[in-house]
Amino acid sequence: DGGITQSPKYLFRKEGQNVTLSCEQNLNHDAMYWYRQDPGQGLRLIYYSQIVNDFQKGDIAEGYSVSREKKESFPLTVTSAQKNPTAFYLCASSHFSGRTDTQYFGPGTRLTVL
Amino acid sequence: AQKVTQAQTEISVVEKEDVTLDCVYETRDTTYYLFWYKQPPSGELVFLIRRNSFDEQNEISGRYSWNFQKSTSSFNFTITASQVVDSAVYFCALIHSGGSNYKLTFGKGTLLTVNP
């Protein structure tokens, strides 16, 4: 089955630690995205990548880093510089036939800082 | 700047009632796309519909229907004969064809609870 997988589903981090969230897709999509969702809020874009080895900052990139070494994978690292990392993180992907392609989402990772 | 407003924070209905979720958007662009996503308690966002700014035809898919009116900048979503499985947070979103990023602008969502 084609789709987007994210792991882990739940993640707990101690303050001062970096953690990496995994996102893999087998839809052969070119573009991938990371969003953050806080309670009662819509989603906010952290980073996006149009092609391998290229990525761009979104609205709230501070304290986060990404890599795109393979088309299928777009891991997100939440660094210790992120002041309030507790949130629900959603990865998405889309075909790159244009900027307005429909974005399809993974199941999400819930990160809690202890 | 783009903005999506979902004024209804929470809606509660009894099963089999019809319910309409409102979405009002702001954009300066003439070409844009509107989306609705469903987020059940599991958390995953499920794509429901995409509509471009040049297509104002209403759409019906089973119990779901969408009413797009450019004159009022609205893209409302109606569920007919609601079911408990429709309970979820519903997000309206906008993306425009110009600009330098690929950001979907989301509303804050409407929590729909369908009671048996």
Side-chain angles (χ1 to χ4, degrees):
Chain A
D1 288 339
I4 302 171
T5 57
Q6 292 185 242
S7 61
K9 188 174 178 64
Y10 298 97
L11 185 58
F12 298 91
R13 187 194 96 172
K14 294 181 180 180
E15 284 197 28
Q17 285 183 336
N18 292 354
V19 290
T20 297
L21 283 58
S22 169
C23 177
E24 305 274 335
Q25 55 96 4
N26 61 4
L27 300 168
N28 199 33
H29 285 173
D30 291 300
M32 297 186 74
Y33 314 78
W34 275 105
Y35 288 87
R36 169 180 171 141
Q37 184 180 19
D38 293 285
Q41 301 294 316
L43 280 67
R44 293 181 291 167
L45 183 67
I46 305 173
Y47 268 99
Y48 65 95
S49 169
Q50 303 168 42
I51 55 173
V52 174
N53 293 321
D54 181 69
F55 47 83
Q56 306 294 329
K57 293 182 179 180
D59 295 328
I60 56 167
E62 185 176 351
Y64 299 98
S65 66
V66 294
S67 63
R68 186 86 186 278
E69 297 177 0
K70 298 187 300 182
K71 186 175 182 178
E72 303 78 22
S73 178
F74 191 41
L76 173 73
T77 297
V78 184
T79 74
S80 56
Q82 169 50 235
K83 294 179 182 178
N84 185 19
T86 294
F88 188 52
Y89 291 87
L90 285 153
C91 177
S93 69
S94 67
H95 285 295
F96 186 49
S97 61
R99 295 174 177 159
T100 56
D101 286 345
T102 298
Q103 295 181 22
Y104 296 92
F105 286 80
T109 293
R110 193 167 299 279
L111 172 63
T112 303
V113 174
L114 303 173
Chain B
Q2 300 177 113
K3 185 178 179 182
V4 175
T5 302
Q6 295 180 254
Q8 304 150 309
T9 305
E10 297 186 31
I11 300 176
S12 181
V13 299
V14 176
E15 207 170 16
K16 297 185 183 178
E17 283 186 29
D18 298 347
V19 57
T20 295
L21 310 181
D22 297 333
C23 173
V24 174
Y25 62 91
E26 297 176 27
T27 180
R28 293 181 179 178
D29 299 287
T30 56
T31 304
Y32 52 89
Y33 294 80
L34 295 161
F35 300 82
W36 275 94
Y37 287 89
K38 174 182 180 180
Q39 186 175 41
S42 60
E44 180 174 354
L45 256 70
V46 178
F47 165 71
L48 296 177
I49 190 171
R50 163 194 167 101
R51 171 69 73 215
N52 76 58
S53 54
F54 297 107
D55 182 1
E56 289 193 67
Q57 273 193 325
N58 292 333
E59 179 150 344
I60 299 174
S61 176
R63 297 184 296 107
Y64 294 170
S65 62
W66 291 269
N67 182 274
F68 176 32
Q69 292 194 345
K70 284 180 76 171
S71 61
T72 56
S73 297
S74 65
F75 186 44
N76 297 336
F77 173 31
T78 297
I79 301 174
T80 303
S82 59
Q83 299 177 1
V84 172
V85 293
D86 296 327
S87 297
V89 180
Y90 290 86
F91 290 97
C92 181
L94 166 73
I95 195 168
H96 66 97
S97 63
S100 59
N101 68 50
Y102 298 62
K103 182 180 70 173
L104 271 170
T105 298
F106 283 87
K108 293 190 176 182
T110 297
L111 173 62
L112 173 64
T113 302
V114 181
N115 299 297

